[in-house]
């Protein structure tokens, strides 16, 4: 129910970009349907898990491998008793839902619902536009993948300048064979064909909030802004992002091509951090989480009749 999104019972951890939200809103409104589900998570519930496990032991309705190699298997629940048990499980055991992926889809669904209400003099609240299509997973069955950063140029700095500045706050070692950090507050850096390990020297202040404790924040606060002069990462044209399974090979390719000067690999954000940020009403920095695989748009369509 979109009212649950508007009231904050469906919690967010990211801000949306107005251009992307407007595009998605126009698409839903003109097509008259939601074609991609909002990706939600909730704190694990054993009673719901047990029901789901019984369902997935039966014959699926759809079972296919997409072009990208991801397998999609779908079961339909048409037993009213089971549906009621699932509803009861969520009503009694699940206090909130969290947007894992799909902040723009959720915001656009809410905007289209408002537009439809304004256009409909006979609005009752039961129309299909009052609902958003979503898929839900328990939090401990999800894994967040890292969202890496790439930098187009060093500005007025030389690479020697960058290394000298880094040494003030980080233990810098090379070669870094793992290429990706194995624990929080470490980063991988790729430049001129070489991987470096950057280990933060200092402990975070005891009064650091959940946002400042995130590695994406640490990278920005200690390297991107003070050393490289990166401003608002939503707008700064010198920074870009590489997420999901593209990984370090894509970072190396982009830097080796000469299109980018530096790449940073990050330790992934934790699911518990996502929930803490959402529960606190705060938002993470842009491009903090990447979920893979993503469900295919178009498998299900929610018509706004």
């Amino acid at each position: 129910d979109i009212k649950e999104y508007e009231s904050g019972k469906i919690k967010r951890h990211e801000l949306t970009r107005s251009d992307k939200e407007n595009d998605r809103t126009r698409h839903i409104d003109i097509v008259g349907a939601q074609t991609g589900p909002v990706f939600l998570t909730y704190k694990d519930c054993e009673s719901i898990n047990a029901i789901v496990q019984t369902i997935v032991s039966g014959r699926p309705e759809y079972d296919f491998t997409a072009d990208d190699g991801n397998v999609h298997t779908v079961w339909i629940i048409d037993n009213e008793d089971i549906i009621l048990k699932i509803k009861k499980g969520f009503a009694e055991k699940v206090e909130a839902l969290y947007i894992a992926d799909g902040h723009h889809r959720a915001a656009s669904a809410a905007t289209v619902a408002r537009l439809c209400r304004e256009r409909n003099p006979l609005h009752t609240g039961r129309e299909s536009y009052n609902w958003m299509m979503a898929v839900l997973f328990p939090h401990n069955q999800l894994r967040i993948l890292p969202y890496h950063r790439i930098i187009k140029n060093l500005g007025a700095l030389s690479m020697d300048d960058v290394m000298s500045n880094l040494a003030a706050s980080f233990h810098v070692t090379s070669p870094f064979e793992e290429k990706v950090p194995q624990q929080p507050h470490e980063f991988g850096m790729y430049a001129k064909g070489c991987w470096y390990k950057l280990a933060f020297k200092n402990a975070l202040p005891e009064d650091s909030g959940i946002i400042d404790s995130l590695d994406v924040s640490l990278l920005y606060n200690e390297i991107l802004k003070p050393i490289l002069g990166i401003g608002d990462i939503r707008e700064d044209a010198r920074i870009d992002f590489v997420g999901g399974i593209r990984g370090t090979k894509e970072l190396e390719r982009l830097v080796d091509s000469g299109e980018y000067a530096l790449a940073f690999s990050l330790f992934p954000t934790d699911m518990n951090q996502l929930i803490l940020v959402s529960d606190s009403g705060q938002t993470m920095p842009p491009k903090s989480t990447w979920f893979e695989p993503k469900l295919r748009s178009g498998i299900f369509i929610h018509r706004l009749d």
Side-chain angles (χ1 to χ4, degrees), residues 97-230:
L97 303 176
Y98 303 86
I99 299 177
D101 194 13
H103 286 78
H104 290 90
R105 291 191 290 276
S108 297
T111 300
V112 171
R114 176 179 54 79
L115 293 173
C116 290
R117 289 196 296 266
E118 293 172 354
R119 296 170 188 159
N120 183 5
L122 301 177
H123 170 79
T124 66
R126 296 189 297 273
E127 296 86 356
S128 59
Y129 57 71
N130 293 290
W131 306 82
M132 70 172 72
M133 181 168 64
V135 57
L136 298 90
F137 291 98
H139 80 286
N140 58 2
Q141 293 185 28
L142 294 178
R143 180 169 61 99
I144 300 175
L145 298 182
Y147 222 141
H148 307 308
R149 273 68 170 137
I150 46 176
I151 309 300
K152 286 187 179 292
N153 60 68
L154 305 181
L157 299 178
S158 68
M159 194 61 208
D160 286 341
D161 294 331
V162 172
M163 298 301 289
S164 177
N165 285 320
L166 286 172
S169 299
F170 292 88
H171 296 291
V172 182
T173 56
S174 183
F176 183 31
E177 295 181 357
E178 292 86 356
K179 301 182 181 180
V180 291
Q182 304 302 301
Q183 61 185 16
H185 304 343
E186 292 183 354
F187 306 98
M189 184 179 77
Y190 184 72
K192 296 185 176 181
C194 184
W195 277 100
Y196 300 86
K197 177 181 176 181
L198 313 179
F200 192 50
K201 290 180 178 180
N202 308 312
L204 292 175
E206 290 185 4
D207 59 352
S208 294
I210 180 62
I211 300 298
D212 287 338
S213 69
L214 298 173
D215 277 4
V216 289
S217 298
L218 182 64
L219 179 70
Y220 179 77
N221 293 333
E222 297 291 336
I223 299 177
L224 299 185
K225 184 178 181 180
I227 297 177
L228 297 174
I230 300 295

Side-chain angles (χ1 to χ4, degrees), residues 12-20 100-101 103-104 144-151 187 211-212 214-221 224 230-236 239-243 264 266-269 274 277 282-291:
R12 320 163 212 188
H13 70 269
E14 283 185 4
L15 297 176
T16 58
R17 285 176 44 183
S18 58
D19 57 340
K20 290 184 65 177
D101 194 13
H103 286 78
H104 290 90
I144 300 175
L145 298 182
Y147 222 141
H148 307 308
R149 273 68 170 137
I150 46 176
I151 309 300
F187 306 98
I211 300 298
D212 287 338
L214 298 173
D215 277 4
V216 289
S217 298
L218 182 64
L219 179 70
Y220 179 77
N221 293 333
L224 299 185
I230 300 295
D232 183 353
I233 64 174
R234 295 177 184 277
E235 307 294 340
D236 199 314
I239 189 170
D240 212 337
F241 310 90
V242 175
F264 293 97
L266 281 78
F267 190 77
T269 303
L274 182 152
V277 170
Q282 300 181 77
T283 54
M284 291 183 179
K287 309 296 185 183
S288 295
T289 60
W290 181 280
F291 289 90

Side-chain angles (χ1 to χ4, degrees), residues 6 16 71 73 124 145 201 203 231-232 246 269 272 275 292:
E6 294 172 332
T16 58
V71 178
T73 312
T124 66
L145 298 182
K201 290 180 178 180
D232 183 353
R246 296 164 68 193
T269 303
N272 290 318
I275 290 173
E292 192 86 25

